Amino acid sequence: MTDRTSLKLNDERKHLFEQASQIVAGDPTDNPPRSDVIDAALTHLIESHQNIENARKKYPPQTIKDCANTSVLGLRYRTSIESKWR
């Protein structure tokens, strides 16, 4: 990973930021800075990965797949979790 100081925001990324900002916001009038939205998204991704790993010890693979499969974290049936993002 490289260190970058700016983000190029195409229409899709702007829309994703708007959606994520609504989730992070304390109320409808709150407008959190993008850095807070990014921090929240990264924390959620890391915690979700750990939660899925922990749940794999307790539940069958199909249950985990049905509950946790997203476009960012995918569960390969009976094998591993892999990132589909990028």
Side-chain angles (χ1 to χ4, degrees):
M1 181 171 61
T2 61
D3 291 334
R4 295 186 184 174
T5 57
S6 64
L7 293 172
K8 292 184 180 179
L9 295 178
N10 59 26
D11 288 342
E12 183 182 348
R13 278 189 176 168
K14 285 180 186 176
H15 181 68
L16 290 172
F17 261 114
E18 289 169 8
Q19 287 180 306
S21 292
Q22 291 172 1
I23 294 168
V24 174
D27 61 54
T29 61
D30 190 13
N31 187 16
R34 286 194 175 136
S35 61
D36 288 355
V37 175
I38 292 169
D39 289 346
L42 292 172
T43 300
H44 178 71
L45 177 64
I46 292 164
E47 289 175 354
S48 294
H49 181 266
Q50 188 58 52
N51 290 340
I52 291 169
E53 287 297 317
N54 292 340
R56 290 181 76 191
K57 299 171 188 171
K58 298 177 185 177
Y59 301 100
Q62 188 61 47
T63 300
I64 303 301
K65 184 176 184 293
D66 291 344
C67 295
N69 202 21
T70 71
S71 61
V72 178
L73 286 178
L75 178 68
R76 258 195 215 161
Y77 191 74
R78 295 185 189 252
T79 56
S80 65
I81 295 173
E82 64 183 40
S83 173
K84 293 182 183 179
W85 195 255
R86 291 187 178 230

